[in-house]
């Protein structure tokens, strides 16, 4: 096989892996602090796509510019959902938490179907066919812009968690809820802020892929599954692991697309998932239990 094809696939995989990483960062942040897996995560990504689509269609907002609306809107949406729904099951059994987030996922998907029909929609930005050359690979401008946006948002969130007082409080609540309470941290406040941040990350990932990905009520499902695989690969609750895991899965899917046809590229992702569960269940960056 021509090495140029492999280089092209590698670069494309890394770029789309950045989007996977941003979505997974939101999921792993929520799990790391609230200890709950949000199976509605992909539906927030889908709603972020619709918000950017309508902002583009009605007001002419570029999808990347629409981030200034998407991020705060879905931070508030996530905060409200956490206070009104998620908070009630945090101390419940895991089955109840799973059922609630699965029910939320079905509700949001069917709400989108009712409001906007199953028809796929596209955002036709002026630069959709523009390409830049990176080494031996040609990369579309929308994908490159999506990768840069994902990296900037992820890096901004990482610096926020590392350098600000609120970020340190979030990390303290993640390490030990009881310890955070003992030093005077309002853990319930931290929970809704964290869920809001995780939801905003998912919606932002949706916004930045609208120039090259179909917007439909079903768009979020595959991202929920892929984000979950990325989070498990990078170790549950590990921020840096989610970033690296996203890039790995992006490259794996791109290579799968080279050697397989159609949707069969997804097989590579789930083979990796199964292998990790079998041989490294704590993830690539987790600590082995003795």
């Amino acid at each position: 096989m021509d090495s140029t094809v492999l280089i092209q696939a590698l670069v494309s995989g890394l770029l789309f892996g950045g989007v996977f990483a941003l979505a997974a960062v939101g999921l792993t942040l929520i799990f790391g602090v609230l200890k709950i897996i949000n199976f509605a995560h992909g539906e927030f990504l889908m709603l972020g796509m619709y918000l950017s689509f309508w902002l583009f269609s009605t007001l002419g907002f570029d999808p990347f510019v629409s981030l200034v609306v998407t991020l705060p809107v879905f931070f508030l949406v996530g905060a409200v959902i956490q206070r009104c729904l998620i908070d009630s099951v945090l101390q419940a059994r895991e089955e109840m938490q799973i059922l609630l987030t699965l029910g939320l996922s079905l509700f949001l998907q069917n709400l989108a179907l009712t409001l906007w029909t199953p028809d796929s929609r596209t955002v036709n930005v002026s630069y959709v066919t523009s390409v830049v050359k990176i080494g031996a690979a040609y990369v579309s401008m929308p994908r490159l812009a999506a990768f840069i946006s994902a990296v900037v948002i992820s890096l901004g969130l990482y610096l926020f968690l590392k350098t600000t007082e609120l970020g340190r409080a979030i990390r303290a609540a993640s390490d030990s809820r009881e310890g955070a309470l003992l030093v005077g941290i309002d853990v319930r406040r931290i929970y809704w802020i964290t869920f809001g941040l995780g939801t905003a990350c998912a919606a932002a990932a949706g916004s930045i892929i609208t120039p090259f990905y179909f917007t439909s009520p079903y768009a979020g499902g595959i991202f929920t599954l892929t984000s979950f695989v990325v989070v498990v690969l990078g170790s549950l609750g590990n921020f840096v692991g989610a970033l690296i895991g996203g890039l790995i899965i992006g490259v794996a899917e791109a290579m799968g697309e080279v050697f397989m046809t159609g949707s069969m590229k997804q097989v590579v992702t789930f083979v990796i998932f199964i292998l990790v569960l079998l041989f490294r269940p704590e993830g690539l960056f987790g600590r082995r239990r003795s």
Side-chain angles (χ1 to χ4, degrees):
M1 179 174 288
D2 189 349
S3 61
T4 304
V5 175
L6 294 177
I7 293 172
Q8 182 74 49
L10 176 63
V11 173
S12 297
L14 285 172
L15 294 181
F16 204 65
V19 177
F20 287 150
L22 177 58
V25 159
L27 189 62
T28 202
L29 180 64
I30 291 170
F31 177 83
V33 178
L34 281 73
K35 310 304 182 208
I36 185 172
I37 297 174
N38 179 22
F39 285 97
H41 198 67
E43 273 54 57
F44 292 119
L45 182 147
M46 174 267 293
L47 291 175
M49 296 178 72
Y50 270 108
L51 178 57
S52 288
F53 171 81
W54 288 114
L55 286 173
F56 177 83
S57 300
T58 59
L59 300 176
F61 276 33
D62 184 276
F64 298 102
V65 175
S66 70
L67 286 171
V68 299
V69 178
T70 303
L71 285 167
V73 165
F74 278 92
F75 172 81
L76 293 175
V77 168
V80 170
I81 287 176
Q82 195 284 324
R83 290 300 298 270
C84 297
L85 293 177
I86 306 299
D87 193 57
S88 63
V89 298
L90 286 181
Q91 306 305 318
R93 293 178 301 175
E94 291 180 356
E95 308 93 271
M96 298 299 294
Q97 297 174 350
I98 292 172
L99 287 172
L100 177 64
T101 57
L102 281 174
L104 180 60
S105 170
L106 290 171
F107 170 77
L108 293 176
Q109 186 179 101
N110 283 279
L111 178 64
L113 281 167
T114 301
L115 293 175
W116 303 305
T117 76
D119 297 336
S120 298
R121 304 163 191 262
T122 56
V123 171
N124 296 311
V125 291
S126 59
Y127 50 88
V128 68
T129 59
S130 301
V131 296
V132 292
K133 188 174 183 182
I134 301 177
Y138 290 90
V139 179
S140 73
M141 279 296 295
R143 288 177 179 267
L144 180 60
F147 175 78
I148 293 172
S149 300
V151 169
V152 169
I153 294 171
S154 300
L155 182 60
L157 181 57
Y158 179 79
L159 293 175
F160 166 76
L161 293 173
K162 284 290 186 181
T163 62
T164 67
E165 183 176 347
L166 180 56
R168 287 189 287 270
I170 291 173
R171 289 190 290 121
S174 174
D175 290 337
S176 172
R177 181 180 185 274
E178 292 74 17
L181 287 169
L182 287 173
V183 297
I185 295 173
D186 185 347
V187 173
R188 291 194 68 187
R189 172 173 170 265
I190 294 301
Y191 283 172
W192 66 256
I193 290 174
T194 300
F195 202 90
L197 289 172
T199 301
C201 285
S207 288
I208 63 179
I209 65 173
T210 50
F212 56 88
Y213 204 92
F214 288 111
T215 300
S216 82
Y218 303 110
I222 190 61
F223 282 96
T224 298
L225 292 173
T226 304
S227 295
F228 185 67
V229 173
V230 170
V231 168
V232 171
L233 178 63
S235 304
L236 287 166
N238 189 309
F239 189 99
V240 176
L243 292 175
I244 297 174
L247 297 177
I248 292 173
I249 293 300
V251 171
E253 285 203 359
M255 291 300 177
E257 196 168 9
V258 171
F259 296 102
M260 300 178 184
T261 58
S263 60
M264 285 297 291
K265 66 178 182 178
Q266 295 291 335
V267 171
V268 179
T269 298
F270 296 110
V271 167
I272 292 174
F273 181 53
I274 293 169
L275 291 176
V276 170
L277 290 179
L278 287 175
F279 300 108
R280 186 83 183 182
E282 69 279 8
L284 298 180
F285 301 93
R287 295 180 180 178
R288 286 187 178 273
R289 294 181 180 179
S290 57

